[in-house]
Amino acid sequence: MENNIKEKVVVITGASSGFGKISAEHLSNLGATVVLGARSTDKIEKISEEINSKGGKSLAVTTDVTKVEQVKNLVDSAINKFGKIDVLLNNAGLMPLSPLEYLKVEDWNRCIDVNIKGVLYGIAAALPYMKEQKFGQIISVSSVAGHTIRPGGAIYSASKYAVRVISEALRQEVKPYNIRTAVISPGAVETNLPNSVTATDISKNIHEYYSKHAISVDSFARCLEFIINQPEDMDVNEILFRPTIQQL
């Protein structure tokens, strides 16, 4: 297959670890320019420096996706530095699992702010530029939990269902501008996502589950590569993947 990733400018939120970090490194190896956004300035600057030292092109921009002005600055910085934005990867996310009876209201609010508002802020930042360019791709990370609901997952599943709903509505709305949209819904993959579970008993179970079932994080990068690498007349809208052993 032809490399349709080379020289594309890809903006990534949540780029300091996990899906974001592996995506930045993988896409850079394929010739993309990557713009990294995350709250952890030191981490994204280190990743960016490593990419640049290997001959890639990268920029790190401190970004909290719950702050609309910071997400706008992330995308504006990409435009100012590289002149365009080909892909936005809305990756930043939390997984604060707990039964509703635990009344973890702060977790609920944080999940909504990061998983839903963060995606909307990314769209708000990138869409005006993509409309003007008449091209672009907005890829958002959902989850297997965005397709099914389990006890303890009400808020997390709701947020990930919302990502799918937002992306599908966006897909229908942006047809006049030649913009593509996609959602990637991973199952158990080796990231630090389980660390965002604050309920002690649930956290223990989730960490045990991931230690037994989770697959390598590069599985996500391969899915992302497939989506971005398609020709402009092909719009891959969703990939749902999980470990072969995973039942849920």
Side-chain angles (χ1 to χ4, degrees):
M1 181 182 292
E2 182 180 352
N3 184 352
N4 291 317
I5 296 174
K6 189 176 181 180
E7 298 184 357
K8 284 190 172 181
V9 176
V10 183
V11 177
I12 302 171
T13 66
S16 62
S17 63
F19 295 148
K21 180 177 183 291
I22 194 68
S23 297
E25 294 168 344
H26 188 75
L27 294 177
S28 176
N29 288 338
L30 293 170
T33 296
V34 291
V35 180
L36 314 180
R39 293 181 301 164
S40 304
T41 304
D42 292 346
K43 289 182 179 180
I44 57 173
E45 287 183 347
K46 182 179 179 181
I47 296 167
S48 180
E49 289 171 3
E50 289 176 352
I51 288 172
N52 291 333
S53 69
K54 295 176 182 177
K57 293 182 180 179
S58 180
L59 174 68
V61 182
T62 304
T63 307
D64 181 343
V65 297
T66 69
K67 310 294 184 184
V68 64
E69 68 279 1
Q70 292 190 27
V71 182
K72 185 177 186 303
N73 178 63
L74 171 65
V75 174
D76 288 350
S77 297
I79 296 293
N80 293 337
K81 179 73 172 179
F82 301 113
K84 63 173 181 171
I85 173 173
D86 293 280
V87 181
L88 169 67
L89 176 60
N90 281 316
N91 166 66
L94 300 172
M95 188 176 67
L97 302 175
S98 66
L100 291 171
E101 65 181 293
Y102 286 16
L103 301 180
K104 285 188 164 290
V105 177
E106 290 185 6
D107 278 3
W108 300 351
N109 288 333
R110 182 70 178 162
C111 184
I112 291 167
D113 287 345
V114 174
N115 292 6
I116 301 178
K117 290 183 180 179
V119 168
L120 290 170
Y121 293 163
I123 293 169
L127 189 54
Y129 289 115
M130 291 184 178
K131 284 176 63 177
E132 184 177 358
Q133 295 172 164
K134 292 293 192 295
F135 65 84
Q137 202 167 18
I138 297 177
I139 303 170
S140 301
V141 180
S142 180
S143 169
V144 167
H147 295 257
T148 186
I149 305 166
R150 300 287 295 177
I155 305 305
Y156 180 61
S157 283
S159 73
K160 291 305 187 178
Y161 269 90
V163 170
R164 294 177 59 225
V165 170
I166 291 165
S167 185
E168 172 57 16
L170 180 65
R171 182 192 70 81
Q172 296 180 30
E173 293 175 8
V174 297
K175 291 303 176 184
Y177 313 112
N178 194 41
I179 297 170
R180 297 181 292 168
T181 70
V183 169
I184 303 178
S185 296
V189 178
E190 292 175 347
T191 70
N192 60 4
L193 195 60
N195 294 339
S196 61
V197 181
T198 63
T200 304
D201 54 339
I202 306 299
S203 177
K204 180 177 182 293
N205 291 337
I206 288 297
H207 277 90
E208 288 178 355
Y209 184 86
Y210 269 62
S211 68
K212 293 178 181 178
H213 296 86
I215 55 177
S216 173
V217 70
D218 63 359
S219 59
F220 179 89
R222 295 195 304 272
C223 291
L224 182 64
E225 175 188 347
F226 177 80
I227 291 172
I228 299 175
N229 201 35
Q230 301 310 310
E232 291 293 318
D233 63 353
M234 182 173 174
D235 193 6
V236 178
N237 302 125
E238 186 159 10
I239 291 180
L240 167 63
F241 77 99
R242 51 167 69 85
T244 303
I245 197 174
Q246 183 177 339
Q247 184 176 27
L248 303 179

